[in-house]
PDB file of all heavy atoms in Angstrom:
ATOM      1  N   LYS A1135     111.724  92.624  91.960  1.00  0.00           N
ATOM      2  CA  LYS A1135     113.195  92.482  92.028  1.00  0.00           C
ATOM      3  C   LYS A1135     113.832  92.638  93.456  1.00  0.00           C
ATOM      4  O   LYS A1135     114.896  92.137  93.658  1.00  0.00           O
ATOM      5  CB  LYS A1135     113.888  93.466  90.959  1.00  0.00           C
ATOM      6  CG  LYS A1135     113.614  93.218  89.505  1.00  0.00           C
ATOM      7  CD  LYS A1135     114.375  94.120  88.697  1.00  0.00           C
ATOM      8  CE  LYS A1135     114.086  93.794  87.189  1.00  0.00           C
ATOM      9  NZ  LYS A1135     114.738  94.828  86.295  1.00  0.00           N
ATOM     10  N   ALA A1136     113.168  93.380  94.205  1.00  0.00           N
ATOM     11  CA  ALA A1136     113.590  93.648  95.633  1.00  0.00           C
ATOM     12  C   ALA A1136     112.837  92.709  96.615  1.00  0.00           C
ATOM     13  O   ALA A1136     112.727  92.833  97.738  1.00  0.00           O
ATOM     14  CB  ALA A1136     113.363  94.983  95.982  1.00  0.00           C
ATOM     15  N   LEU A1137     112.273  91.625  96.041  1.00  0.00           N
ATOM     16  CA  LEU A1137     111.458  90.548  96.841  1.00  0.00           C
ATOM     17  C   LEU A1137     110.322  91.293  97.559  1.00  0.00           C
ATOM     18  O   LEU A1137     109.920  90.955  98.649  1.00  0.00           O
ATOM     19  CB  LEU A1137     112.338  89.861  97.793  1.00  0.00           C
ATOM     20  CG  LEU A1137     113.430  88.988  97.066  1.00  0.00           C
ATOM     21  CD1 LEU A1137     114.301  88.370  98.032  1.00  0.00           C
ATOM     22  CD2 LEU A1137     112.829  87.950  96.089  1.00  0.00           C
ATOM     23  N   ASN A1138     109.717  92.338  96.963  1.00  0.00           N
ATOM     24  CA  ASN A1138     108.689  93.069  97.519  1.00  0.00           C
ATOM     25  C   ASN A1138     108.907  93.742  98.959  1.00  0.00           C
ATOM     26  O   ASN A1138     107.964  93.856  99.696  1.00  0.00           O
ATOM     27  CB  ASN A1138     107.403  92.279  97.486  1.00  0.00           C
ATOM     28  CG  ASN A1138     107.042  91.838  96.185  1.00  0.00           C
ATOM     29  OD1 ASN A1138     107.107  92.464  95.185  1.00  0.00           O
ATOM     30  ND2 ASN A1138     106.628  90.485  96.061  1.00  0.00           N
ATOM     31  N   SER A1139     110.201  94.027  99.120  1.00  0.00           N
ATOM     32  CA  SER A1139     110.496  94.666 100.464  1.00  0.00           C
ATOM     33  C   SER A1139     109.846  96.077 100.477  1.00  0.00           C
ATOM     34  O   SER A1139     109.651  96.774  99.494  1.00  0.00           O
ATOM     35  CB  SER A1139     111.977  94.783 100.577  1.00  0.00           C
ATOM     36  OG  SER A1139     112.649  95.546  99.608  1.00  0.00           O
ATOM     37  N   LEU A1140     109.519  96.491 101.640  1.00  0.00           N
ATOM     38  CA  LEU A1140     108.786  97.651 101.906  1.00  0.00           C
ATOM     39  C   LEU A1140     109.597  98.916 102.111  1.00  0.00           C
ATOM     40  O   LEU A1140     110.330  99.063 103.004  1.00  0.00           O
ATOM     41  CB  LEU A1140     107.905  97.493 103.184  1.00  0.00           C
ATOM     42  CG  LEU A1140     106.837  96.380 103.210  1.00  0.00           C
ATOM     43  CD1 LEU A1140     106.349  96.195 104.623  1.00  0.00           C
ATOM     44  CD2 LEU A1140     105.650  96.788 102.284  1.00  0.00           C
ATOM     45  N   SER A1141     109.343  99.833 101.181  1.00  0.00           N
ATOM     46  CA  SER A1141     109.980 101.233 101.354  1.00  0.00           C
ATOM     47  C   SER A1141     109.036 102.090 102.075  1.00  0.00           C
ATOM     48  O   SER A1141     107.875 101.739 102.409  1.00  0.00           O
ATOM     49  CB  SER A1141     110.102 101.902 100.007  1.00  0.00           C
ATOM     50  OG  SER A1141     108.932 102.065  99.347  1.00  0.00           O
ATOM     51  N   SER A1142     109.375 103.257 102.538  1.00  0.00           N
ATOM     52  CA  SER A1142     108.559 104.169 103.392  1.00  0.00           C
ATOM     53  C   SER A1142     107.302 104.543 102.424  1.00  0.00           C
ATOM     54  O   SER A1142     106.224 104.772 102.885  1.00  0.00           O
ATOM     55  CB  SER A1142     109.278 105.310 103.815  1.00  0.00           C
ATOM     56  OG  SER A1142     109.944 105.976 102.693  1.00  0.00           O
ATOM     57  N   ARG A1143     107.630 104.801 101.129  1.00  0.00           N
ATOM     58  CA  ARG A1143     106.522 105.189 100.213  1.00  0.00           C
ATOM     59  C   ARG A1143     105.477 103.971 100.168  1.00  0.00           C
ATOM     60  O   ARG A1143     104.254 104.323 100.033  1.00  0.00           O
ATOM     61  CB  ARG A1143     107.025 105.489  98.903  1.00  0.00           C
ATOM     62  CG  ARG A1143     107.850 106.864  98.850  1.00  0.00           C
ATOM     63  CD  ARG A1143     108.230 107.210  97.467  1.00  0.00           C
ATOM     64  NE  ARG A1143     109.022 106.142  96.745  1.00  0.00           N
ATOM     65  CZ  ARG A1143     109.300 106.145  95.451  1.00  0.00           C
ATOM     66  NH1 ARG A1143     108.891 107.179  94.719  1.00  0.00           N
ATOM     67  NH2 ARG A1143     109.998 105.154  94.974  1.00  0.00           N
ATOM     68  N   MET A1144     105.989 102.812 100.118  1.00  0.00           N
ATOM     69  CA  MET A1144     105.059 101.733 100.065  1.00  0.00           C
ATOM     70  C   MET A1144     104.089 101.591 101.330  1.00  0.00           C
ATOM     71  O   MET A1144     102.961 101.416 101.170  1.00  0.00           O
ATOM     72  CB  MET A1144     105.762 100.409  99.787  1.00  0.00           C
ATOM     73  CG  MET A1144     106.346 100.287  98.454  1.00  0.00           C
ATOM     74  SD  MET A1144     107.444  98.828  98.317  1.00  0.00           S
ATOM     75  CE  MET A1144     106.296  97.598  98.349  1.00  0.00           C
ATOM     76  N   VAL A1145     104.724 101.724 102.404  1.00  0.00           N
ATOM     77  CA  VAL A1145     103.984 101.649 103.688  1.00  0.00           C
ATOM     78  C   VAL A1145     102.877 102.777 103.743  1.00  0.00           C
ATOM     79  O   VAL A1145     101.795 102.539 104.152  1.00  0.00           O
ATOM     80  CB  VAL A1145     104.853 101.700 104.836  1.00  0.00           C
ATOM     81  CG1 VAL A1145     104.034 101.915 106.192  1.00  0.00           C
ATOM     82  CG2 VAL A1145     105.820 100.467 104.960  1.00  0.00           C
ATOM     83  N   LYS A1146     103.306 103.981 103.227  1.00  0.00           N
ATOM     84  CA  LYS A1146     102.329 105.102 103.243  1.00  0.00           C
ATOM     85  C   LYS A1146     101.203 104.760 102.344  1.00  0.00           C
ATOM     86  O   LYS A1146     100.025 105.051 102.639  1.00  0.00           O
ATOM     87  CB  LYS A1146     103.115 106.338 102.842  1.00  0.00           C
ATOM     88  CG  LYS A1146     102.315 107.633 102.820  1.00  0.00           C
ATOM     89  CD  LYS A1146     103.193 108.782 102.556  1.00  0.00           C
ATOM     90  CE  LYS A1146     102.361 110.097 102.605  1.00  0.00           C
ATOM     91  NZ  LYS A1146     101.419 110.253 101.420  1.00  0.00           N
ATOM     92  N   ALA A1147     101.472 104.163 101.141  1.00  0.00           N
ATOM     93  CA  ALA A1147     100.435 103.848 100.161  1.00  0.00           C
ATOM     94  C   ALA A1147      99.464 102.812 100.699  1.00  0.00           C
ATOM     95  O   ALA A1147      98.280 102.960 100.588  1.00  0.00           O
ATOM     96  CB  ALA A1147     101.074 103.374  98.810  1.00  0.00           C
ATOM     97  N   ILE A1148     100.075 101.882 101.400  1.00  0.00           N
ATOM     98  CA  ILE A1148      99.169 100.750 101.942  1.00  0.00           C
ATOM     99  C   ILE A1148      98.339 101.319 102.990  1.00  0.00           C
ATOM    100  O   ILE A1148      97.104 101.048 103.044  1.00  0.00           O
ATOM    101  CB  ILE A1148     100.004  99.588 102.437  1.00  0.00           C
ATOM    102  CG1 ILE A1148     100.837  98.874 101.328  1.00  0.00           C
ATOM    103  CG2 ILE A1148      99.203  98.623 103.199  1.00  0.00           C
ATOM    104  CD1 ILE A1148     101.955  98.026 101.827  1.00  0.00           C
ATOM    105  N   ASN A1149      98.938 102.130 103.910  1.00  0.00           N
ATOM    106  CA  ASN A1149      98.100 102.697 104.961  1.00  0.00           C
ATOM    107  C   ASN A1149      97.034 103.621 104.489  1.00  0.00           C
ATOM    108  O   ASN A1149      95.802 103.484 104.917  1.00  0.00           O
ATOM    109  CB  ASN A1149      99.034 103.577 105.883  1.00  0.00           C
ATOM    110  CG  ASN A1149      98.465 103.973 107.037  1.00  0.00           C
ATOM    111  OD1 ASN A1149      97.695 104.977 107.126  1.00  0.00           O
ATOM    112  ND2 ASN A1149      98.680 103.318 108.256  1.00  0.00           N
ATOM    113  N   GLU A1150      97.281 104.466 103.532  1.00  0.00           N
ATOM    114  CA  GLU A1150      96.366 105.425 102.989  1.00  0.00           C
ATOM    115  C   GLU A1150      95.195 104.613 102.237  1.00  0.00           C
ATOM    116  O   GLU A1150      94.013 105.039 102.363  1.00  0.00           O
ATOM    117  CB  GLU A1150      96.983 106.393 102.070  1.00  0.00           C
ATOM    118  CG  GLU A1150      97.880 107.411 102.755  1.00  0.00           C
ATOM    119  CD  GLU A1150      98.516 108.304 101.813  1.00  0.00           C
ATOM    120  OE1 GLU A1150      98.523 108.105 100.634  1.00  0.00           O
ATOM    121  OE2 GLU A1150      99.129 109.361 102.373  1.00  0.00           O
ATOM    122  N   THR A1151      95.614 103.577 101.447  1.00  0.00           N
ATOM    123  CA  THR A1151      94.557 102.863 100.739  1.00  0.00           C
ATOM    124  C   THR A1151      93.667 102.152 101.715  1.00  0.00           C
ATOM    125  O   THR A1151      92.395 102.250 101.565  1.00  0.00           O
ATOM    126  CB  THR A1151      95.309 101.733  99.951  1.00  0.00           C
ATOM    127  OG1 THR A1151      96.124 102.379  98.965  1.00  0.00           O
ATOM    128  CG2 THR A1151      94.287 100.809  99.218  1.00  0.00           C
ATOM    129  N   LEU A1152      94.068 101.424 102.867  1.00  0.00           N
ATOM    130  CA  LEU A1152      93.342 100.801 103.738  1.00  0.00           C
ATOM    131  C   LEU A1152      92.371 101.721 104.431  1.00  0.00           C
ATOM    132  O   LEU A1152      91.237 101.533 104.641  1.00  0.00           O
ATOM    133  CB  LEU A1152      94.211 100.023 104.724  1.00  0.00           C
ATOM    134  CG  LEU A1152      94.856  98.734 104.160  1.00  0.00           C
ATOM    135  CD1 LEU A1152      95.866  98.168 105.225  1.00  0.00           C
ATOM    136  CD2 LEU A1152      93.783  97.750 103.763  1.00  0.00           C
ATOM    137  N   HIS A1153      92.852 102.904 104.805  1.00  0.00           N
ATOM    138  CA  HIS A1153      92.016 103.903 105.422  1.00  0.00           C
ATOM    139  C   HIS A1153      90.899 104.493 104.562  1.00  0.00           C
ATOM    140  O   HIS A1153      89.731 104.556 104.899  1.00  0.00           O
ATOM    141  CB  HIS A1153      92.878 105.106 105.930  1.00  0.00           C
ATOM    142  CG  HIS A1153      93.434 104.929 107.263  1.00  0.00           C
ATOM    143  ND1 HIS A1153      92.648 104.889 108.415  1.00  0.00           N
ATOM    144  CD2 HIS A1153      94.767 104.823 107.607  1.00  0.00           C
ATOM    145  CE1 HIS A1153      93.519 104.712 109.435  1.00  0.00           C
ATOM    146  NE2 HIS A1153      94.782 104.665 109.011  1.00  0.00           N
ATOM    147  N   ALA A1154      91.279 104.588 103.220  1.00  0.00           N
ATOM    148  CA  ALA A1154      90.215 105.037 102.223  1.00  0.00           C
ATOM    149  C   ALA A1154      89.195 103.922 102.032  1.00  0.00           C
ATOM    150  O   ALA A1154      87.968 104.270 101.843  1.00  0.00           O
ATOM    151  CB  ALA A1154      90.912 105.297 100.904  1.00  0.00           C
ATOM    152  N   TRP A1155      89.581 102.669 102.136  1.00  0.00           N
ATOM    153  CA  TRP A1155      88.668 101.546 101.763  1.00  0.00           C
ATOM    154  C   TRP A1155      87.722 101.261 102.997  1.00  0.00           C
ATOM    155  O   TRP A1155      86.675 100.626 102.854  1.00  0.00           O
ATOM    156  CB  TRP A1155      89.428 100.280 101.357  1.00  0.00           C
ATOM    157  CG  TRP A1155      89.988 100.376  99.956  1.00  0.00           C
ATOM    158  CD1 TRP A1155      89.725 101.356  99.015  1.00  0.00           C
ATOM    159  CD2 TRP A1155      90.808  99.401  99.355  1.00  0.00           C
ATOM    160  NE1 TRP A1155      90.419 101.130  97.873  1.00  0.00           N
ATOM    161  CE2 TRP A1155      91.080  99.977  98.011  1.00  0.00           C
ATOM    162  CE3 TRP A1155      91.462  98.223  99.751  1.00  0.00           C
ATOM    163  CZ2 TRP A1155      91.876  99.343  97.136  1.00  0.00           C
ATOM    164  CZ3 TRP A1155      92.333  97.617  98.881  1.00  0.00           C
ATOM    165  CH2 TRP A1155      92.508  98.043  97.547  1.00  0.00           C
ATOM    166  N   LYS A1156      88.108 101.701 104.094  1.00  0.00           N
ATOM    167  CA  LYS A1156      87.393 101.462 105.353  1.00  0.00           C
ATOM    168  C   LYS A1156      85.900 101.887 105.161  1.00  0.00           C
ATOM    169  O   LYS A1156      84.972 101.234 105.531  1.00  0.00           O
ATOM    170  CB  LYS A1156      87.909 102.210 106.522  1.00  0.00           C
ATOM    171  CG  LYS A1156      88.728 101.300 107.538  1.00  0.00           C
ATOM    172  CD  LYS A1156      88.983 102.206 108.750  1.00  0.00           C
ATOM    173  CE  LYS A1156      89.781 101.454 109.787  1.00  0.00           C
ATOM    174  NZ  LYS A1156      90.093 102.265 110.988  1.00  0.00           N
ATOM    175  N   ALA A1157      85.785 103.163 104.583  1.00  0.00           N
ATOM    176  CA  ALA A1157      84.494 103.721 104.456  1.00  0.00           C
ATOM    177  C   ALA A1157      83.808 103.544 103.101  1.00  0.00           C
ATOM    178  O   ALA A1157      82.698 104.012 102.812  1.00  0.00           O
ATOM    179  CB  ALA A1157      84.635 105.271 104.664  1.00  0.00           C
ATOM    180  N   LEU A1158      84.461 102.702 102.180  1.00  0.00           N
ATOM    181  CA  LEU A1158      83.983 102.444 100.871  1.00  0.00           C
ATOM    182  C   LEU A1158      83.112 101.330 100.834  1.00  0.00           C
ATOM    183  O   LEU A1158      83.563 100.161 101.071  1.00  0.00           O
ATOM    184  CB  LEU A1158      85.206 102.298  99.927  1.00  0.00           C
ATOM    185  CG  LEU A1158      84.884 102.565  98.455  1.00  0.00           C
ATOM    186  CD1 LEU A1158      84.571 103.946  98.154  1.00  0.00           C
ATOM    187  CD2 LEU A1158      86.185 102.268  97.605  1.00  0.00           C
ATOM    188  N   ASP A1159      81.804 101.519 100.491  1.00  0.00           N
ATOM    189  CA  ASP A1159      80.882 100.406 100.565  1.00  0.00           C
ATOM    190  C   ASP A1159      80.992  99.354  99.468  1.00  0.00           C
ATOM    191  O   ASP A1159      80.738  98.174  99.658  1.00  0.00           O
ATOM    192  CB  ASP A1159      79.356 100.943 100.380  1.00  0.00           C
ATOM    193  CG  ASP A1159      78.934 101.700 101.624  1.00  0.00           C
ATOM    194  OD1 ASP A1159      79.513 101.484 102.747  1.00  0.00           O
ATOM    195  OD2 ASP A1159      78.090 102.576 101.484  1.00  0.00           O
ATOM    196  N   ASP A1160      81.814  99.764  98.427  1.00  0.00           N
ATOM    197  CA  ASP A1160      82.121  98.893  97.353  1.00  0.00           C
ATOM    198  C   ASP A1160      83.103  97.836  97.701  1.00  0.00           C
ATOM    199  O   ASP A1160      83.342  96.767  96.988  1.00  0.00           O
ATOM    200  CB  ASP A1160      82.593  99.572  96.077  1.00  0.00           C
ATOM    201  CG  ASP A1160      81.476 100.429  95.368  1.00  0.00           C
ATOM    202  OD1 ASP A1160      80.252 100.027  95.771  1.00  0.00           O
ATOM    203  OD2 ASP A1160      81.641 101.361  94.617  1.00  0.00           O
ATOM    204  N   VAL A1161      83.901  97.973  98.735  1.00  0.00           N
ATOM    205  CA  VAL A1161      84.954  97.136  99.255  1.00  0.00           C
ATOM    206  C   VAL A1161      84.380  96.176 100.306  1.00  0.00           C
ATOM    207  O   VAL A1161      83.971  96.593 101.424  1.00  0.00           O
ATOM    208  CB  VAL A1161      86.295  97.802  99.643  1.00  0.00           C
ATOM    209  CG1 VAL A1161      87.242  96.804 100.176  1.00  0.00           C
ATOM    210  CG2 VAL A1161      86.849  98.650  98.648  1.00  0.00           C
ATOM    211  N   MET A1162      84.297  94.988 100.105  1.00  0.00           N
ATOM    212  CA  MET A1162      83.816  93.972 101.008  1.00  0.00           C
ATOM    213  C   MET A1162      84.930  93.234 101.767  1.00  0.00           C
ATOM    214  O   MET A1162      84.647  92.644 102.805  1.00  0.00           O
ATOM    215  CB  MET A1162      82.813  92.958 100.372  1.00  0.00           C
ATOM    216  CG  MET A1162      81.637  93.709  99.647  1.00  0.00           C
ATOM    217  SD  MET A1162      80.631  94.683 100.639  1.00  0.00           S
ATOM    218  CE  MET A1162      79.901  93.552 101.805  1.00  0.00           C
ATOM    219  N   LEU A1163      85.955  92.955 100.929  1.00  0.00           N
ATOM    220  CA  LEU A1163      87.168  92.179 101.570  1.00  0.00           C
ATOM    221  C   LEU A1163      88.394  92.773 100.863  1.00  0.00           C
ATOM    222  O   LEU A1163      88.337  93.537  99.851  1.00  0.00           O
ATOM    223  CB  LEU A1163      86.990  90.813 101.316  1.00  0.00           C
ATOM    224  CG  LEU A1163      86.890  90.221  99.992  1.00  0.00           C
ATOM    225  CD1 LEU A1163      88.122  89.570  99.537  1.00  0.00           C
ATOM    226  CD2 LEU A1163      85.746  89.368  99.819  1.00  0.00           C
ATOM    227  N   VAL A1164      89.606  92.443 101.420  1.00  0.00           N
ATOM    228  CA  VAL A1164      90.840  92.954 100.924  1.00  0.00           C
ATOM    229  C   VAL A1164      91.678  91.764 100.714  1.00  0.00           C
ATOM    230  O   VAL A1164      91.856  90.913 101.568  1.00  0.00           O
ATOM    231  CB  VAL A1164      91.541  93.894 101.925  1.00  0.00           C
ATOM    232  CG1 VAL A1164      92.907  94.341 101.376  1.00  0.00           C
ATOM    233  CG2 VAL A1164      90.653  95.099 102.066  1.00  0.00           C
ATOM    234  N   LEU A1165      92.404  91.765  99.501  1.00  0.00           N
ATOM    235  CA  LEU A1165      93.381  90.670  99.140  1.00  0.00           C
ATOM    236  C   LEU A1165      94.749  91.346  99.128  1.00  0.00           C
ATOM    237  O   LEU A1165      94.926  92.310  98.477  1.00  0.00           O
ATOM    238  CB  LEU A1165      93.011  90.029  97.923  1.00  0.00           C
ATOM    239  CG  LEU A1165      93.857  88.929  97.310  1.00  0.00           C
ATOM    240  CD1 LEU A1165      93.776  87.639  98.158  1.00  0.00           C
ATOM    241  CD2 LEU A1165      93.557  88.628  95.909  1.00  0.00           C
ATOM    242  N   LEU A1166      95.711  90.825  99.987  1.00  0.00           N
ATOM    243  CA  LEU A1166      97.026  91.348 100.086  1.00  0.00           C
ATOM    244  C   LEU A1166      97.914  90.389  99.515  1.00  0.00           C
ATOM    245  O   LEU A1166      98.009  89.154  99.989  1.00  0.00           O
ATOM    246  CB  LEU A1166      97.345  91.694 101.628  1.00  0.00           C
ATOM    247  CG  LEU A1166      98.510  92.416 101.982  1.00  0.00           C
ATOM    248  CD1 LEU A1166      98.600  93.687 101.231  1.00  0.00           C
ATOM    249  CD2 LEU A1166      98.570  92.544 103.442  1.00  0.00           C
ATOM    250  N   GLU A1167      98.707  90.803  98.558  1.00  0.00           N
ATOM    251  CA  GLU A1167      99.652  89.811  97.894  1.00  0.00           C
ATOM    252  C   GLU A1167     100.910  90.452  97.491  1.00  0.00           C
ATOM    253  O   GLU A1167     101.085  91.646  97.384  1.00  0.00           O
ATOM    254  CB  GLU A1167      98.960  89.266  96.647  1.00  0.00           C
ATOM    255  CG  GLU A1167      98.550  90.313  95.657  1.00  0.00           C
ATOM    256  CD  GLU A1167      97.828  89.760  94.309  1.00  0.00           C
ATOM    257  OE1 GLU A1167      97.388  88.663  94.415  1.00  0.00           O
ATOM    258  OE2 GLU A1167      97.544  90.608  93.530  1.00  0.00           O
ATOM    259  N   GLY A1168     101.825  89.598  97.040  1.00  0.00           N
ATOM    260  CA  GLY A1168     103.106  90.075  96.500  1.00  0.00           C
ATOM    261  C   GLY A1168     103.277  89.786  95.081  1.00  0.00           C
ATOM    262  O   GLY A1168     102.747  88.662  94.529  1.00  0.00           O
ATOM    263  N   ALA A1169     103.886  90.607  94.330  1.00  0.00           N
ATOM    264  CA  ALA A1169     104.165  90.395  92.862  1.00  0.00           C
ATOM    265  C   ALA A1169     105.225  89.345  92.670  1.00  0.00           C
ATOM    266  O   ALA A1169     106.133  89.175  93.393  1.00  0.00           O
ATOM    267  CB  ALA A1169     104.503  91.674  92.166  1.00  0.00           C
ATOM    268  N   GLY A1170     104.951  88.533  91.572  1.00  0.00           N
ATOM    269  CA  GLY A1170     106.013  87.545  91.222  1.00  0.00           C
ATOM    270  C   GLY A1170     105.809  86.202  92.017  1.00  0.00           C
ATOM    271  O   GLY A1170     104.865  86.100  92.790  1.00  0.00           O
ATOM    272  N   GLU A1171     106.738  85.329  91.749  1.00  0.00           N
ATOM    273  CA  GLU A1171     106.591  83.972  92.407  1.00  0.00           C
ATOM    274  C   GLU A1171     107.510  83.706  93.491  1.00  0.00           C
ATOM    275  O   GLU A1171     107.367  82.679  94.147  1.00  0.00           O
ATOM    276  CB  GLU A1171     106.863  82.902  91.284  1.00  0.00           C
ATOM    277  CG  GLU A1171     105.910  83.043  90.052  1.00  0.00           C
ATOM    278  CD  GLU A1171     106.202  81.927  89.013  1.00  0.00           C
ATOM    279  OE1 GLU A1171     107.151  81.203  89.191  1.00  0.00           O
ATOM    280  OE2 GLU A1171     105.358  81.730  88.098  1.00  0.00           O
ATOM    281  N   LYS A1172     108.395  84.742  93.929  1.00  0.00           N
ATOM    282  CA  LYS A1172     109.362  84.395  94.882  1.00  0.00           C
ATOM    283  C   LYS A1172     108.986  84.829  96.274  1.00  0.00           C
ATOM    284  O   LYS A1172     109.417  84.212  97.296  1.00  0.00           O
ATOM    285  CB  LYS A1172     110.692  85.063  94.425  1.00  0.00           C
ATOM    286  CG  LYS A1172     111.448  84.383  93.262  1.00  0.00           C
ATOM    287  CD  LYS A1172     112.784  85.060  93.023  1.00  0.00           C
ATOM    288  CE  LYS A1172     113.448  84.404  91.841  1.00  0.00           C
ATOM    289  NZ  LYS A1172     114.887  85.054  91.669  1.00  0.00           N
ATOM    290  N   ALA A1173     108.258  86.066  96.366  1.00  0.00           N
ATOM    291  CA  ALA A1173     108.002  86.541  97.779  1.00  0.00           C
ATOM    292  C   ALA A1173     106.636  87.223  97.926  1.00  0.00           C
ATOM    293  O   ALA A1173     106.132  87.838  96.925  1.00  0.00           O
ATOM    294  CB  ALA A1173     109.121  87.626  97.999  1.00  0.00           C
ATOM    295  N   PHE A1174     106.109  87.056  99.104  1.00  0.00           N
ATOM    296  CA  PHE A1174     105.053  87.962  99.449  1.00  0.00           C
ATOM    297  C   PHE A1174     105.660  89.266  99.905  1.00  0.00           C
ATOM    298  O   PHE A1174     105.303  90.346  99.314  1.00  0.00           O
ATOM    299  CB  PHE A1174     104.255  87.230 100.707  1.00  0.00           C
ATOM    300  CG  PHE A1174     103.330  88.238 101.450  1.00  0.00           C
ATOM    301  CD1 PHE A1174     102.219  88.747 100.688  1.00  0.00           C
ATOM    302  CD2 PHE A1174     103.644  88.668 102.730  1.00  0.00           C
ATOM    303  CE1 PHE A1174     101.395  89.556 101.428  1.00  0.00           C
ATOM    304  CE2 PHE A1174     102.816  89.462 103.343  1.00  0.00           C
ATOM    305  CZ  PHE A1174     101.646  90.031 102.753  1.00  0.00           C
ATOM    306  N   CYS A1175     106.570  89.252 100.825  1.00  0.00           N
ATOM    307  CA  CYS A1175     107.358  90.384 101.220  1.00  0.00           C
ATOM    308  C   CYS A1175     108.437  89.986 102.092  1.00  0.00           C
ATOM    309  O   CYS A1175     108.357  89.362 103.089  1.00  0.00           O
ATOM    310  CB  CYS A1175     106.383  91.353 102.073  1.00  0.00           C
ATOM    311  SG  CYS A1175     107.294  92.789 102.772  1.00  0.00           S
ATOM    312  N   ALA A1176     109.761  90.418 101.608  1.00  0.00           N
ATOM    313  CA  ALA A1176     110.877  89.940 102.307  1.00  0.00           C
ATOM    314  C   ALA A1176     111.320  90.890 103.553  1.00  0.00           C
ATOM    315  O   ALA A1176     112.341  90.657 104.108  1.00  0.00           O
ATOM    316  CB  ALA A1176     112.085  89.889 101.276  1.00  0.00           C
TER     317      ALA A1176
END
């Protein structure tokens, strides 16, 4: 509904997730997307 605009909590979550996946052997690649049909991120 907010065209996937980034709040501070979202930025923190993305940052922490990417750091955690760096060392995770089960992650070979990352797909970054926006919910819905209108926006990746406004």
